[in-house]
Amino acid sequence: MKVLGAIVAGGQARRFGSDKGAALVAGKALIDHVVGALSAVADTVVIVGRTWPNLASIPDHPAPAQGPLGGIAGALAYAKAHGFDAVLSAGCDALGLSADHLDALKPGPAVLASQPVIGLWPTGLAVPLADWMVDPAHRSVFAFADYCGARRVVVANPPANINWPADLP
């Protein structure tokens, strides 16, 4: 199975107050921590909704400012067009994400119960998600996960979700 790792990073980090993805933890940007985790299990890693050195950047779909689901939709559209079987998505702020967390999502569709942006999405969901997002009320990742029958996976020691500077270790 050919898997695209997609870092969903198109948010404005209003709660954080600055570029959350660039925040340093142990001398490394949050985004780079996620790159390391996804690189261990995905064939290719991209960033969605922004640019980052050494990563291909793809846009949210159908447009910017659609929330995390827009990032997942952009990743699925890209994956489908480029011959990937599935997208493994994670937010840029998923500190402590591990290969074990990601392996627990198999088979997809599945999301982490604690952070639904971390999910495994078969590329066959690209069109259903695009259709789902036509309604502006459809922006909840959990709602789409339920709609497409994704499993909610509970893992021991889930990754941290960094929303505020005080959340940094």
Side-chain angles (χ1 to χ4, degrees), residues 81-150:
H82 291 87
F84 289 89
D85 300 303
V87 168
L88 185 56
S89 63
C92 71
D93 56 358
L95 187 61
L97 187 61
S98 72
D100 289 341
H101 295 135
L102 301 173
D103 285 342
L105 296 170
K106 295 175 184 171
V111 298
L112 286 189
S114 61
Q115 286 189 59
V117 173
I118 301 171
L120 182 62
W121 310 94
T123 54
L125 292 173
V127 171
L129 178 52
D131 291 345
W132 170 266
M133 291 192 67
V134 168
D135 183 341
H138 289 164
R139 296 297 180 265
S140 163
V141 178
F142 269 138
F144 181 71
D146 290 344
Y147 172 77
C148 74

